[in-house]
Amino acid sequence: MNRPLIAPSILSANFSKLGEAVSAIQDAGADWVHIDVMDGIFVPNLTFGPKMVSDLRPYTSLPFDVHLMIEKPDQLIPAFAEAGADYITFHLEAVVHAHRTIQMIRSLGKKPGVSIVPSTPVSMLKELLPYVDQVLIMTVNPGFGGQSLIETCLDKIRELVAMRNDQQLPFLISADGGINEQTAAITRKAGADILITGSAFFSAQEKKKMVQSLRKF
Ligand code: DX5
Ligand code: ZN
């Protein structure tokens, strides 16, 4: 892809002003709104349920990229679909029947994605790659914004690009965690199509400029 898609994560926004945060993402010219759903079990933090997604839906026409960091995602996927998610990504580590979960998301008319944490090898994804629209590579251990990118995770992106080329598949590769104006270049060079950015976006004074500078890479 010539230019990356920029997907700011509302995890780093002020939770008492999430409608404004979503509008700020759109005003900054970003491409997607990334919504980090955490259950306090799969990851040691808690965030949003489907109602938050439906309440935020009127604030933007941008796609909602819902990243489920939860156990038993199948139980909540229909509610997130109904609430207005466009992309729904679950964690491979949270399910046994990943293929079934992908089919469920697809049958609800949404774009399925699968994600892996830093300790899971890319080879675990091989059988799923033909069925997904997005593979989200965590470049930090999931749970919190504001952590530093783990550079060895970029090797996983390179490996995934090679697998995609071999199999001639169309899925997008996103990188999530520790992406800022300093790390965007190496992340893009590794082959990420989508740059997810939380703390760097919300701490930027000039959000439009920040998005433009990430797009340069
Ligand atoms: C972490 C989340 C990320 C996070 C990124 O568990 O999946 O989306 O918000 O935040 P930064 O950019 O601050 O690492
Ligand atoms: Zn995320």
Side-chain angles (χ1 to χ4, degrees), residues 25 35 57 89 195 203:
I25 290 172
I35 301 178
R57 196 55 283 186
T89 297
L195 301 176
S203 64

Side-chain angles (χ1 to χ4, degrees), residues 32 87-92 98-106 110-116 122 124-137 160 163-164 167-174 193:
W32 293 358
Y87 290 78
I88 300 180
T89 297
F90 65 94
H91 269 266
L92 183 64
H99 185 270
R100 176 178 289 152
T101 304
I102 292 166
Q103 280 180 313
M104 175 194 266
I105 297 168
R106 186 81 69 197
K110 307 300 175 183
K111 295 184 188 304
V114 63
S115 179
I116 52 174
V122 165
M124 297 284 286
L125 294 169
K126 181 168 179 281
E127 304 306 323
L128 300 174
L129 297 180
Y131 304 102
V132 292
D133 289 333
Q134 179 182 180
V135 177
L136 188 159
I137 300 292
L160 192 55
M163 288 163 82
R164 181 171 66 181
Q167 298 184 51
Q168 300 267 299
L169 294 169
F171 63 83
L172 296 172
I173 300 172
S174 49
D193 307 298

Side-chain angles (χ1 to χ4, degrees), residues 15-206:
F15 280 17
S16 69
K17 297 177 182 163
L18 285 173
E20 286 169 34
V22 165
S23 303
I25 290 172
Q26 177 159 318
D27 293 346
D31 300 285
W32 293 358
V33 176
H34 186 82
I35 301 178
D36 285 308
V37 175
M38 303 184 183
D39 65 356
I41 300 169
F42 182 71
V43 288
N45 198 1
L46 274 171
T47 56
F48 321 113
K51 184 172 186 298
M52 185 63 79
V53 173
S54 61
D55 286 354
L56 290 175
R57 196 55 283 186
Y59 285 83
T60 181
S61 53
L62 293 180
F64 276 178
D65 180 34
V66 174
H67 177 192
L68 299 177
M69 286 161 276
I70 62 175
E71 296 283 341
K72 299 189 181 11
D74 295 14
Q75 290 183 2
L76 280 169
I77 284 168
F80 280 105
E82 173 77 10
D86 297 285
Y87 290 78
I88 300 180
T89 297
F90 65 94
H91 269 266
L92 183 64
E93 302 87 0
V95 298
V96 175
H97 306 290
H99 185 270
R100 176 178 289 152
T101 304
I102 292 166
Q103 280 180 313
M104 175 194 266
I105 297 168
R106 186 81 69 197
S107 73
L108 292 164
K110 307 300 175 183
K111 295 184 188 304
V114 63
S115 179
I116 52 174
V117 303
S119 59
T120 300
V122 165
S123 56
M124 297 284 286
L125 294 169
K126 181 168 179 281
E127 304 306 323
L128 300 174
L129 297 180
Y131 304 102
V132 292
D133 289 333
Q134 179 182 180
V135 177
L136 188 159
I137 300 292
M138 287 300 317
T139 42
V140 298
N141 287 297
F144 302 95
Q147 304 179 76
S148 300
L149 179 135
I150 301 168
E151 286 204 23
T152 49
C153 292
L154 300 180
D155 294 333
K156 294 165 67 175
I157 295 178
R158 283 184 265 274
E159 203 182 326
L160 192 55
V161 169
M163 288 163 82
R164 181 171 66 181
N165 290 344
D166 280 355
Q167 298 184 51
Q168 300 267 299
L169 294 169
F171 63 83
L172 296 172
I173 300 172
S174 49
D176 189 4
I179 312 283
N180 52 42
E181 284 161 276
Q182 286 71 48
T183 56
I186 49 172
T187 308
R188 279 287 286 160
K189 202 156 173 243
D193 307 298
I194 302 162
L195 301 176
I196 296 162
T197 174
S199 50
F201 177 83
F202 280 100
S203 64
Q205 291 304 315
E206 301 200 52

